[in-house]
Amino acid sequence: MGLPLTTVLPICILGNMAPILPILLLLRNESLKKLMSPILKRAEAKTSELGIGSLQRQWASLAAFVGIPLPGTGAWTGAMGAFLLGMPTVVALSAIFSGVVAAGGIVSAITLAGKKGGIAALAALFVLTSIEFLKGDKKQDFLEADPYWDQSEVPVNVYKNKAPFTGKVVSTKRIVGPKATGETCHIVIDHNGDFPYWEGQSWGVIPPGNREKDGKPHSVRLYSIASSRYGDDMTGKTGSLCVRRATYWCPELKADDPAKKGICSNFLCDTEPGAEVQMTGPAGKVMLMPEEDPATDYIMVATGTGIAPYRGFIRRLFVEETPAAAAYKGQAWLFLGVANSDALLYDDEWQEVKEKYPEQFRLDYALSREQTNTKGGKMYIQDKVEEYSDEIFTKLENGAHIYFCGLKGMMPGIQDMLKSVAEKKGIEYDEWLKGLKAKKQWHVEVY
């Protein structure tokens, strides 16, 4: 067409960017998401690593992904991947724009100077994104006690019901597949560094509005925090919740009854970036990790969203550059019980840790609708734990700490299992359990 590059380049950049914001907004529509499911799955597979690390790392990774002019790495794919991975919209738009500009610059350099020009432009992109990536690569050691395992100043109930903290939602993402029993969301909340907490603690959430029965404000609901003290972005300014949307199926209506839905869980699962959340806490010390002895074994048993505190544990011990991670020499063993494979929570994270630390991290799932126990019945969490009863008993005898989080229905089966092992060994179970509790090896947070 003979148009000058100074005209073509801006037009190409605007043409690539024009549909991006509408795409990010339209993808919030569930019907459209289902319609685009095959495309979204391909986008998520190509961009699965972009949501890892701090916001600076996410920005640099996405900009580089979009900026390298190769098939399948353009602005549309980047936008869909960023949405699926729960990146903040502003971060995604900024990174995609930078990537589109970079891609245009690389193609222009090839046009003007051939292969050498393209290589030089690629090198410039690599240098710039690497600088941003490395800026987000600081160690997670700036929120530590001295020494790091000292729990004498753990924050507790800093914010109370009458004077709650106001956090802002960064992202809300569904994290279960289409065949999961119900919807579970991962919600990242910005607290600007003003609401510190430790792994194993809970946040209270006060849903907006008033109760119908008496007009009073809704009561606080407690949710275990699903991130380390540094947050998913590792800045120390965010925290995450893992929330299952509570619904009630009415047999007469043959549909969910909106009048009986969970007030707080539905509020949280429906939040969008920027939404304000009234919060209290942090609450509790019973689920904290005893880090003074770095050889301590941790046995973590969860049903459903009871996985939340263990995500904080595992990130602290294996993912982040914390003093606890540098010192840790023990073994962390995670048991998770859910209905089926689509209901598994954070499986990609567990598999990555398992691959990197095969001797220090163990993982066992109980899928009640897909697996059978030794008696031919459904495989519940207590059945899976029972398969390793002798080994678990021995670990506890040797000082391991065991944690239970989730539905209280799992507890009788697990306690019966441990009791039978104790009896076989000639040990009086009640006294043995009392000893575990006295040594603070027994941690329970069930509902």
Side-chain angles (χ1 to χ4, degrees), residues 282-294:
K285 297 174 84 171
V286 70
M287 296 291 282
L288 298 178
M289 287 192 295
E291 296 177 331
E292 186 170 359
D293 180 0

Side-chain angles (χ1 to χ4, degrees), residues 345-387:
L345 301 171
Y346 310 111
D347 178 60
D348 54 338
E349 296 184 22
W350 312 143
Q351 298 301 338
E352 188 174 338
V353 173
K354 188 178 177 182
E355 184 178 344
K356 288 183 179 178
Y357 302 93
E359 300 301 319
Q360 285 190 280
F361 181 66
R362 293 174 67 175
L363 176 66
D364 279 281
Y365 289 142
L367 307 177
S368 61
R369 299 190 182 182
E370 295 179 7
Q371 299 172 337
T372 54
N373 59 27
T374 55
K375 299 170 186 173
K378 290 184 177 181
M379 175 69 80
Y380 292 109
I381 189 70
Q382 54 268 35
D383 302 313
K384 179 57 68 174
V385 174
E386 187 176 6
E387 290 182 5

Side-chain angles (χ1 to χ4, degrees), residues 140-142 144 148 230 316 320-328:
Q140 284 69 58
D141 61 1
F142 52 92
E144 302 295 326
Y148 71 89
Y230 295 99
R316 179 165 175 78
E320 300 170 352
E321 293 186 55
T322 62
Y328 191 58

Side-chain angles (χ1 to χ4, degrees), residues 85-233:
L85 294 166
M87 279 191 198
T89 303
V90 173
V91 174
L93 283 172
S94 171
I96 291 167
F97 177 76
S98 299
V100 167
V101 171
I106 291 168
V107 173
S108 300
I110 294 171
T111 303
L112 295 173
K115 188 185 291 185
K116 290 183 179 179
I119 292 172
L122 269 172
L125 173 64
F126 176 78
V127 169
L128 290 172
T129 53
S130 294
I131 289 170
E132 289 300 316
F133 190 83
L134 292 171
K135 280 182 184 177
D137 192 27
K138 65 179 179 179
K139 288 184 178 181
Q140 284 69 58
D141 61 1
F142 52 92
L143 294 176
E144 302 295 326
D146 185 18
Y148 71 89
W149 43 261
D150 180 12
Q151 297 181 357
S152 61
E153 296 186 7
V154 174
V156 178
N157 296 326
V158 177
Y159 294 95
K160 298 179 174 63
N161 296 19
K162 292 184 178 179
F165 178 84
T166 302
K168 284 196 174 182
V169 172
V170 175
S171 62
T172 301
K173 177 188 174 186
R174 178 188 170 103
I175 55 172
V176 291
K179 295 180 181 178
T181 52
E183 180 180 22
T184 301
C185 295
H186 182 77
I187 302 151
V188 181
I189 299 174
D190 182 0
H191 59 77
N192 198 38
D194 297 325
F195 201 162
Y197 58 88
W198 280 37
E199 298 76 17
Q201 291 191 293
S202 300
W203 271 341
V205 175
I206 305 173
N210 299 311
R211 298 185 302 208
E212 288 186 12
K213 63 179 181 180
D214 56 16
K216 293 181 179 180
H218 290 296
S219 56
V220 174
R221 272 72 161 184
L222 285 177
Y223 294 92
S224 296
I225 301 170
S227 56
S228 80
R229 69 192 72 180
Y230 295 99
D232 289 0
D233 62 1

Side-chain angles (χ1 to χ4, degrees), residues 229-244:
R229 69 192 72 180
Y230 295 99
D232 289 0
D233 62 1
M234 303 184 193
T235 63
K237 296 182 179 181
T238 66
S240 302
L241 299 178
C242 179
V243 180
R244 188 178 193 272

Side-chain angles (χ1 to χ4, degrees), residues 1 3-18 100:
M1 292 174 66
L3 293 173
L5 194 59
T6 51
T7 301
V8 173
L9 184 58
I11 291 173
C12 289
I13 291 171
L14 289 172
N16 272 278
M17 288 301 300
V100 167

